[in-house]
Amino acid sequence: MTKAPANLSALEDVYLPVAGLTAWNALHYASVTAGETVLLHGTGGVSIFALQFAKALSAHVIITSSSDAKLRRAKELGADYLINYHTTPNWEETVLSFTDGVGVDAVLETVGGKNLARSLSVLRTGGSISIMGLLGGSEMTIDALSLMERHATIRGMEVGNTQDFQDMNQAIEQHDIHPVIDRTFTFDEVRAAFTDLEQGKHFGKIAILLQRGYANEI
């Protein structure tokens, strides 16, 4: 049995086993430490959890979004560098400028598809990419020479084990981290909830209340 963090509500606890643990392990496996730089794609549940965890580690965070409003919210959570990929389609150049041409230490690849190659192009030598999202497709092509030159580690991953979960919960309690719940829907509003999700309107996570006291994350 794993004890939930004492600082969270029952609704907030719902987000820990999937979005929270995925973000936690992505940073853990990349051995992110203070002063390093992490690139996060988008402002969904995993990326926003990763933003909070990375700042707790005193790391620098670059985050992308198509919405300036969401980027402002990310800045309030501690994001150091903001990129709107609609107004800055060649965002790789901006990432490299933020890191003085060195590249980032870690990338949380929540997009997949062709985006993986773009993430690799801004990775520093010896950096790490954790893949846990496939919004851009499950087929990914990268340049093997670029991979070799960067001595890069690319890891596919899903959530984690019991010890990982306990370690994460301890950090959440220690740093008083709270999941970002953008909006809560009743079960009768489930269609609207999935529409919001499909249209990318959410920042962080969306909750559906199945009945009093019980919720499900999407």
Side-chain angles (χ1 to χ4, degrees):
M1 179 180 294
T2 299
K3 184 179 178 181
N7 61 315
L8 300 189
S9 67
L11 177 59
E12 290 173 319
D13 289 339
V14 172
Y15 299 92
L16 302 183
V18 181
L21 193 53
T22 299
W24 172 264
N25 275 340
L27 298 176
H28 175 71
Y29 293 154
S31 300
V32 173
T33 58
E36 293 190 331
T37 303
V38 179
L39 172 62
L40 306 176
H41 294 296
T43 53
V46 173
S47 291
I48 296 304
F49 251 123
L51 166 59
Q52 294 172 288
F53 289 145
K55 297 312 297 181
L57 292 168
S58 297
H60 304 297
V61 174
I62 303 172
I63 193 165
T64 71
S65 175
S66 61
S67 165
D68 286 336
K70 291 181 180 181
L71 289 173
R72 286 192 292 270
R73 292 182 67 180
K75 185 174 180 63
E76 292 173 356
L77 290 173
D80 301 278
Y81 304 103
L82 314 173
I83 301 175
N84 185 317
Y85 59 79
H86 274 182
T87 57
T88 309
N90 297 322
W91 52 262
E92 299 98 314
E93 298 175 5
T94 305
V95 170
L96 290 174
S97 71
F98 287 154
T99 59
D100 296 324
V102 175
V104 299
D105 298 280
V107 182
L108 269 68
E109 183 56 70
T110 53
V111 179
K114 296 180 180 179
N115 203 68
L116 176 60
R118 303 181 72 180
S119 292
L120 179 61
S121 73
V122 298
L123 193 69
R124 71 155 173 84
T125 301
S128 175
I129 299 177
S130 297
I131 302 173
M132 73 288 292
L134 304 172
L135 294 174
S138 59
E139 294 188 8
M140 307 176 197
T141 301
I142 59 172
D143 178 58
L145 183 60
S146 181
L147 177 68
M148 294 163 62
E149 288 176 342
R150 286 175 170 77
H151 296 250
T153 298
I154 299 179
R155 177 185 291 104
M157 56 163 296
E158 293 180 326
V159 293
N161 60 35
T162 301
Q163 186 60 55
D164 297 327
F165 195 50
Q166 292 171 345
D167 292 343
M168 177 192 69
N169 288 349
Q170 183 177 0
I172 287 173
E173 193 169 322
Q174 177 184 350
H175 296 281
D176 194 23
I177 295 171
H178 290 262
V180 176
I181 304 172
D182 189 57
R183 188 176 172 189
T184 300
F185 295 84
T186 67
F187 187 72
D188 292 336
E189 298 172 316
V190 65
R191 186 181 297 274
F194 279 96
T195 297
D196 252 32
L197 190 68
E198 183 179 13
Q199 294 177 352
K201 293 181 179 180
H202 61 294
F203 179 90
K205 298 298 294 183
I206 290 174
I208 298 175
L209 297 177
L210 303 181
Q211 61 184 43
R212 186 179 298 277
Y214 294 91
N216 187 46
E217 74 164 292
I218 61 171

